[in-house]
């Protein structure tokens, strides 16, 4: 089973959301776009900006925290360009 660290982007909010999941990325995005409470409920235009695959939940979560700890939009934008 694969686990993912992912970054969503909302053009409406001009914000990124960073998370990790064991679901398929499509399923996780669908959940973010559904009616729920939380940060991503504020708008329904979230799009996948970047994702990385890991063999364990622990590694995916560690990477999520690493990205969040940087608190850097420039770093996140660089991820998109460094992958291709």
């Amino acid at each position: 089973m694969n686990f993912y660290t992912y970054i969503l982007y909302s053009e409406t909010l001009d914000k990124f959301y960073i998370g990790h999941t064991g679901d398929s990325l499509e399923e996780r995005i669908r959940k973010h776009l559904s009616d729920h409470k939380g940060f991503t409920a504020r708008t329904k235009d979230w799009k996948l900006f970047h994702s990385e695959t890991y063999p364990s939940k622990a590694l995916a979560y560690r990477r999520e925290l690493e990205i969040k700890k940087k608190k850097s939009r420039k770093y996140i934008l660089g991820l998109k360009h460094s992958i291709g």
Side-chain angles (χ1 to χ4, degrees):
M1 177 174 193
N2 286 325
F3 295 85
Y4 305 92
T5 300
Y6 62 92
I7 302 173
L8 303 179
Y9 176 73
S10 165
E11 190 172 330
T12 301
L13 299 175
D14 191 28
K15 299 254 184 217
F16 291 100
Y17 175 86
I18 305 156
H20 75 283
T21 187
D23 291 336
S24 72
L25 289 171
E26 294 81 11
E27 175 63 15
R28 190 64 188 117
I29 293 168
R30 186 193 68 72
K31 289 178 181 177
H32 280 295
L33 295 174
S34 68
D35 289 331
H36 68 285
K37 295 184 184 208
F39 180 77
T40 60
R42 295 167 54 190
T43 188
K44 301 292 184 214
D45 72 336
W46 295 102
K47 303 270 191 257
L48 183 63
F49 179 80
H50 176 76
S51 68
E52 299 172 6
T53 306
Y54 293 93
S56 72
K57 181 177 180 174
L59 290 173
Y61 181 58
R62 185 180 312 160
R63 179 63 172 143
E64 174 189 344
L65 294 178
E66 180 182 304
I67 295 168
K68 286 179 174 178
K69 190 175 182 181
K70 294 200 181 283
K71 297 183 188 243
S72 172
R73 182 180 189 92
K74 184 177 178 181
Y75 178 78
I76 291 171
L77 291 170
L79 288 174
K80 181 72 169 180
H81 298 296
S82 68
I83 301 303

